[in-house]
Amino acid sequence: MTTSPAPAVGWLASVSLDCPDPSALADFYGALLGLPRAYESPDGGVVSLSDGGMAVTMMRATDHVRPTWPEPGQQQQLHLDILVTDLDDAVERSIALGATEAAHQPAPSAWRVLLDPVGHPFCLTTVTGD
């Protein structure tokens, strides 16, 4: 027996990333995802990128601690999965934008783990679930 899910209270509008410099990280994700700046607070502490859909938002955290995942210490906190058509090309282009390839690659034929300029892990993948 299947039950229908309850009506949603709302919808996901943004994924927010803590970082020391929202403008710099917005430049990275804007280029990586092809998203324009949709909002910037007057003090520059919050920068949102969006093309009218869900936003990616960078928020200043003066005490930001770079993740050390998969090593002990500071866990990954959050990561994004970014769908691409060619893993090798996407890795190369991401590195040119300022990403670094993570040493730990649990399933490199399906996902490539990279780190953004402030250490947040993100995955490039060709897996669609189809």
Side-chain angles (χ1 to χ4, degrees):
M1 176 161 123
T2 346
T3 59
S4 299
V9 172
W11 56 93
L12 184 61
S14 180
V15 172
S16 299
L17 301 169
D18 287 352
C19 61
D21 184 347
S23 184
L25 197 58
D27 289 344
F28 171 79
Y29 278 107
L32 183 72
L33 301 172
L35 293 174
R37 289 183 186 220
Y39 172 79
E40 187 163 357
S41 65
D43 68 354
V46 176
V47 180
S48 290
L49 306 171
S50 180
D51 60 2
M54 190 172 76
V56 177
T57 302
M58 279 46 68
M59 301 179 75
R60 181 176 293 122
T62 55
D63 58 351
H64 177 263
V65 177
R66 183 182 184 95
T68 57
W69 175 91
E71 302 301 319
Q74 189 65 34
Q75 294 300 306
Q76 66 180 338
Q77 304 161 0
L78 163 102
H79 78 271
L80 305 175
D81 290 331
I82 300 168
L83 184 63
V84 301
T85 55
D86 181 314
L87 282 174
D88 292 330
D89 179 63
V91 168
E92 185 178 310
R93 292 174 60 200
S94 298
I95 290 171
L97 294 171
T100 55
E101 201 163 357
H104 183 63
Q105 296 291 328
S109 64
W111 289 275
R112 299 282 175 79
V113 183
L114 287 93
L115 306 174
D116 74 18
V118 297
H120 299 112
F122 67 94
C123 293
L124 301 175
T125 185
T126 57
V127 175
T128 63
D130 292 339

